[in-house]
Amino acid sequence: MANPEFDIKRPTMIGDTADISLQKTIQILRSEGINPTVVMEFSPSNPGTLCGLNEVKTLLEKILPESGSEAWAVEEGNSIQAGEVALRVKSPYASIGLYETAITGILSSSTGWASAAKECVNEAEGTPIYSTGAKNVHPNVSATMDYASIIGGCLSCSTILGARMSGVTPITIMSHSLSLIMGDTVRALQSFDKHTPQDIPRIALVDTHRDEAEEALATARALKDRLRGILIDTSSERGGVTVNLVKEVRARLDLAGFQHVDISISGGLTPAKIKNFIESKSPIQSFGVGSYIASANSNPFTGDIHEIDGRPIAKRGRIPGVTINNRLHRII
Amino acid sequence: MANPEFDIKRPTMIGDTADISLQKTIQILRSEGINPTVVMEFSPSNPGTLCGLNEVKTLLEKILPESGSEAWAVEEGNSIQAGEVALRVKSPYASIGLYETAITGILSSSTGWASAAKECVNEAEGTPIYSTGAKNVHPNVSATMDYASIIGGCLSCSTILGARMSGVTPITIMSHSLSLIMGDTVRALQSFDKHTPQDIPRIALVDTHRDEAEEALATARALKDRLRGILIDTSSERGGVTVNLVKEVRARLDLAGFQHVDISISGGLTPAKIKNFIESKSPIQSFGVGSYIASANSNPFTGDIHEIDGRPIAKRGRIPGVTINNRLHRII
Amino acid sequence: MANPEFDIKRPTMIGDTADISLQKTIQILRSEGINPTVVMEFSPSNPGTLCGLNEVKTLLEKILPESGSEAWAVEEGNSIQAGEVALRVKSPYASIGLYETAITGILSSSTGWASAAKECVNEAEGTPIYSTGAKNVHPNVSATMDYASIIGGCLSCSTILGARMSGVTPITIMSHSLSLIMGDTVRALQSFDKHTPQDIPRIALVDTHRDEAEEALATARALKDRLRGILIDTSSERGGVTVNLVKEVRARLDLAGFQHVDISISGGLTPAKIKNFIESKSPIQSFGVGSYIASANSNPFTGDIHEIDGRPIAKRGRIPGVTINNRLHRII
Amino acid sequence: MANPEFDIKRPTMIGDTADISLQKTIQILRSEGINPTVVMEFSPSNPGTLCGLNEVKTLLEKILPESGSEAWAVEEGNSIQAGEVALRVKSPYASIGLYETAITGILSSSTGWASAAKECVNEAEGTPIYSTGAKNVHPNVSATMDYASIIGGCLSCSTILGARMSGVTPITIMSHSLSLIMGDTVRALQSFDKHTPQDIPRIALVDTHRDEAEEALATARALKDRLRGILIDTSSERGGVTVNLVKEVRARLDLAGFQHVDISISGGLTPAKIKNFIESKSPIQSFGVGSYIASANSNPFTGDIHEIDGRPIAKRGRIPGVTINNRLHRII
Amino acid sequence: MANPEFDIKRPTMIGDTADISLQKTIQILRSEGINPTVVMEFSPSNPGTLCGLNEVKTLLEKILPESGSEAWAVEEGNSIQAGEVALRVKSPYASIGLYETAITGILSSSTGWASAAKECVNEAEGTPIYSTGAKNVHPNVSATMDYASIIGGCLSCSTILGARMSGVTPITIMSHSLSLIMGDTVRALQSFDKHTPQDIPRIALVDTHRDEAEEALATARALKDRLRGILIDTSSERGGVTVNLVKEVRARLDLAGFQHVDISISGGLTPAKIKNFIESKSPIQSFGVGSYIASANSNPFTGDIHEIDGRPIAKRGRIPGVTINNRLHRII
Amino acid sequence: MANPEFDIKRPTMIGDTADISLQKTIQILRSEGINPTVVMEFSPSNPGTLCGLNEVKTLLEKILPESGSEAWAVEEGNSIQAGEVALRVKSPYASIGLYETAITGILSSSTGWASAAKECVNEAEGTPIYSTGAKNVHPNVSATMDYASIIGGCLSCSTILGARMSGVTPITIMSHSLSLIMGDTVRALQSFDKHTPQDIPRIALVDTHRDEAEEALATARALKDRLRGILIDTSSERGGVTVNLVKEVRARLDLAGFQHVDISISGGLTPAKIKNFIESKSPIQSFGVGSYIASANSNPFTGDIHEIDGRPIAKRGRIPGVTINNRLHRII
């Protein structure tokens, strides 16, 4: 994963998204003339796939003073245990205190999304997964969600910004809208074919107007060898995509000589459903996963002070002093 | 709710967060010279408390052409059924097509958060709830999450930006950090008292160093009548906050003559836990709810074309033509 | 229900289907010169809708001696409790002993089928149900099964023999085979129309070749006012028949001006599924139920001697003497 | 299993038990002068033990034209998967079409019964099982049910006709009626002994009048070495037959010197109960199973056309063309 | 309940059954010359029927000094809530400290037994219950257990000592041993009849040698009008006592003219089983309950100091000061 | 386990705790001049750890006549199956009959307690367990309960009498009462230290007044090397003792240099909770278990006659004659 470019706002603006109690703390300490060097540790509440550290690193580079600050972290994309220290920051409190909310927020959201993606990837046993959940999250974070999906193992995503941030090429498919406006799937596909560069694969969406098998055959007959694949996204009102439907469409395509046409599916996929498709040996070349990743619960991170000016300390319920974790490596 | 100010980015930038298949659709239709007037309807997958419509309205005002466009919606904060039409937009496709992802994304996220807040508010039977979940969402959307919590019935929130967007005053409490750095809860509270304007209530956090009942009594003895309340946020490692703990602290405060001191609690609260506190008549004056709201699943919205140039239409599985819903009112 | 004609085989042949232990009993008693008058009572193991009594009555009329024999029974089609006496026969043992197996067999099977039909009828709340289960039972009993379905409340059935036995007109629909052999649903329907008397309603089966909504519209356009209805029997591989599918087909038919076309559904229907269609107010004019009725468990009946030559008697576990049941009326 | 003789009615009469839609199909095709050669495939909905094929073969031999017809099948008594092709028939449609209902009906019922028998046989681990369910099915199919039980692994059955069809000797036991009419179990057994050929084993039913252990001892004392075994069939009102009861009766028989007397049990036996008797090492020499087999759900078979005049075809949801199954062998 | 006589051992000996930590406490306070007046409160962990207070009162009368001691309690046999104060003692600590273990022990055990008895009594809806559990508790406490059963609502019990302590007449029945040694139930009953005073009712135990119905009839024929009732205590190996068995025995007794003979049952009875007999209107005149009461969990009581020399106090987790409970009345 | 001294009351007094039906039996047999030699066998209803045999042996030695009596038993503390013969007594009936209730009572109670203790010991995997349940049983049996706990594997107990009966040293800890009366945990511990012999270990109870970690550190600072350990018994109102609390207290003690201080815990411990502490590698040196052992259900034993004057016999449901059990050894 080379060189993601995060859209980090100005630090002062991020400060406004902090808990006001932290702003109050900074203000009181300043009035009292107190600014000790603290060690803060950040840990998740649940196990998962760690994500958001690269974005946090970009933030820390802007806010920490050059001398006297250090940071260690577990690597982006690694699995992490509940309560394990994922990030340790040592810095004067006045520099880090206000950003505790932003740091836990970034890690909580991104780790939640990446973990959900990873669950899907694990069940797919090598069949590629694409993230298509942008339509289910706020546009302010849709690219971040797509980036986290890719950290969690997805091959690509459906937004340009998310793909750019992750250094991949976004996936391009016909939309239901194009098909509806053109009035006919074959005509829509032919327009798509006419106006799209040769290096972008042609994938037909085959559940808009007619029976899936009919539309699959019709689009294959229209584009012949230029058709790379079809996408079945049957609505739940029509029973959704089932193992038997996929096998039948595959059989009817093969019977008509279109063995070269790939089949992708999407629509309410979850790890359990993916597992079922894989176990029943469904002839599927890729899965598109949307709401399962996008609607995933965030994984709450907490930040705790464990050392003040070199003295081990902790609030009740936490163990005082720096916590040993061999998987941490110096990042700043 | 007067005059929320949404941080709507430039429309073209939001376009980059759209699914690339929609960008492709716009591009093909433009090449073909086709731009029909469409009616799009947006509906949630699950029942809940509708939120995000005000932000979507701000977006639509920027992107829709003045003539020939219309929009109707159910009112912000109302409850909504699964599959019910929450928003209907009529516009040339070229103007609206690219923003389908942004619209469903805003509605999905905000409705998810507002619904979770509403569940808590319903169980609290009138006891105020504060949103403290900023630490569990990405800072790009923390203010939006706080706004949705307030639409769902919370009285206020913990971030300045969220409070400003919602037109309320944020809640100000002592932080665990202040207490740890000062080395003693009473000393931390005295500093807070010295450096904070008179009109902000003094609320002591009493679980940092010692037994909650001890710290409650110590802070009450230190500030006397100036102490408005205490907040108990006992960590799960120490058994969390229980009904019996709250009753005992109340009894020990009363025995010592501090009947005027309010008790607030927070820490992993859910609707079920709030219900339990209310049913067992715990003497609590407010609840702080964080991760339950912030980590709530988003409620996936879908956008569907139901009319093209006046003709009823729909993809398979949806019913063609405009859907009747008397709760819709004209917003544009 | 006037005048059902049961296909009762010759009594001696039915004897061969008796348990050999009963044949042995008759033979021993004859050798010993013993033939007391006994009272036998027949009761079901489970509650249900009593069926088979008319057939049993036909049998008893052939086997019981004219003088000294009596029989009482609960009425055909009434509900019956577990353990309740449904039939009481008083007769010389030599005349009735051999037919105990046939009597319990008839009552067990028919009561099982009628009870399953009744469960469906109860959930349908007045919408007609047709029995289509002949394909799931042995042809030797398919007419008996159809008769039991009608006793349980079905309006008609799919076999000629079953309909004749029950005094109703069988239902006539296009078959999947006709559609497949004709190669096209519309063409098959037109043949059906051409070769069928005017008084038989035209009902099109619309799930053979294409999308159900497409075929519904095509057949309606072909026959216009002469089309009485359509039958949707979507296979489980395609998600089966769902509430949303029915509503969508109804909407598309209405939109095209075919409000007069009825909708029937079939395919794996159970009481729970029927209940779901009714509760969600699906626009359905009739249900076809097959395997649920045909595969129903039989309801085991037992026959017990309770009196011998006027003396109360019973085997261990049963109460000696004639059992009081006011619902019994004299049938012989 | 040599040479079963099935009671196949005249084909035209079986035709009357067909679905009327199939009769209509034949009539229309005849009117149109169409009679293609079709391939029909028959498959069960659930896994089980295949039964009924021999009876279907007898039927096919009567109805298929000599030239141009073929049939393949999995062997009678083999286990079969859900959806696996159990029978494939190739024939002019006019010859086979009307008998689809009869064929699926025979296979559905018989496979249901044989599968239930097999479940019991599997749990009995070699201890013989007898089918005693004739009293729970319609006499028109009781012999067929007994035949299916034997295909499923039962050693014999209780009806003369079922035993004759299967080529086995039926089991002969004393009936409760004999015992009640004689007024005493010992007296009934002595009559049985006097009037029964020497080669039929003497088995006493010991639960009619007194405690099972008492009657077992009394009958053993009466017949001594001529008593082959006892049958315990305690009613559920008296707690049914339990492991402890069997062990106690065995112990009391042994203590009195009757080690040669076998113990059989019956009464509401299911695979789970048989398993329990076997696992607790109950001293049982045979089980009688009635209602579990007789009341078994039928296993619905469907018949589908997969080829018409050599062209692969299928209705939606099924895969066109002949299905490969290496277990099929040519039967016609 | 007049005048129970408890077998209170010498206080010093009870002291030896105290927790040694309490003995140590007394010894240290004596060495330090400290002996404050304390208020101790005793509460159960679970809701139930309070029992043991009369025994505790007898103990307190022996150990408390005459001046300066007081005690209040909820009344013996009343229902009590979890955590409710059942007993409050005010006394110099040196007098009461050592007996805390004995007091909680008496209340825990007796309340456990009485609560279990009460559950049975509640389900029996007026039909008498007898305590027969002495065989399942240590003989040192069997009389105490019987006393607690009667406080919980039982009409009498099976031990002489328990009956004497409770002021009732014990129930006298034939034993299985008598029947086995006499070799025959009728002979055993006749001996019982010969050697027992006229005012003790004759109740025959009818499940020892033969079928319950047979023995019931045989004993009724032997004693005629002198037989007051029968007791059915069928072992679980023979299916236990069931509703149907009771109804059948009743019917056979009535048929033979023995309407005057009562039926009692026992053997593994629980509240759920008693409820079942009552709901199915079984003709039963009394129940014998043994192991359900005798094996009941004890209900742990805790004793806590709430006041020391007039100052409210409590350990962490308990509320300081005397707890208000209007149901307490002065007992010392 | 050498030489336990049981507090067996006078046999005639134990007789008064017998079921009156047994007294009646003895009286009738005496009147009839019958006194056969019987073999009685005693078996538990549930599996468990056998206890009470030593006490029963002491009883038998007092009541059995010297000539003609024998007894065999499974060894005290061994595990026993449901229904397995644990004790067999051969004796004239007049000598043993009256004591059947006492024998089953002793075995039922003691086996219940020992089995519960064993469950805890099994989960603790070598970490010692102390029985602290005396406060939950009647003082008449508290020593017997402590003895049974030690037979079940506990290392010691909290009562002097129980410890003496078992030949162990009781465990001595500070009480909550001492701490409350002294007004401060450290002061209470210093008194304990001053007045207690050097060879008794000092164990501080640290949950009375303040936070457990605070009190642990305070007591360790006060007694330094003389402090052997601390006991945490946090009330359920404060969340009880949790794995995290134990780990935190351990960490804070170690940080302050008190590695030598052991940690014990108690308070509502069950086998499941002990398993959880062990599996999460909590740093615990011993467990105190009270109500789980003390409130355990007794395990009902039954006594049955299997031989009378050498003849095998048994009531219905039991197998006549002496039961083979190789684990029995002669005890008298």
Side-chain angles (χ1 to χ4, degrees), chain D residues 79-107:
Chain D
S79 65
I80 186 104
Q81 297 308 308
E84 183 178 354
V85 176
L87 172 69
R88 186 196 296 139
V89 180
K90 182 175 187 172
S91 140
Y93 184 75
S95 303
I96 184 71
L98 202 56
Y99 300 97
E100 181 184 333
T101 306
I103 292 169
T104 55
I106 291 167
L107 295 175

Side-chain angles (χ1 to χ4, degrees), chain B residues 26-55:
Chain B
I26 295 288
Q27 170 199 329
I28 293 170
L29 293 175
R30 192 174 299 141
S31 306
E32 298 276 356
I34 296 173
N35 186 13
T37 291
V38 301
V39 171
M40 293 197 78
E41 295 184 345
F42 297 84
S43 311
S45 304
N46 306 304
T49 297
L50 181 63
C51 184
L53 261 171
N54 286 347
E55 186 173 359

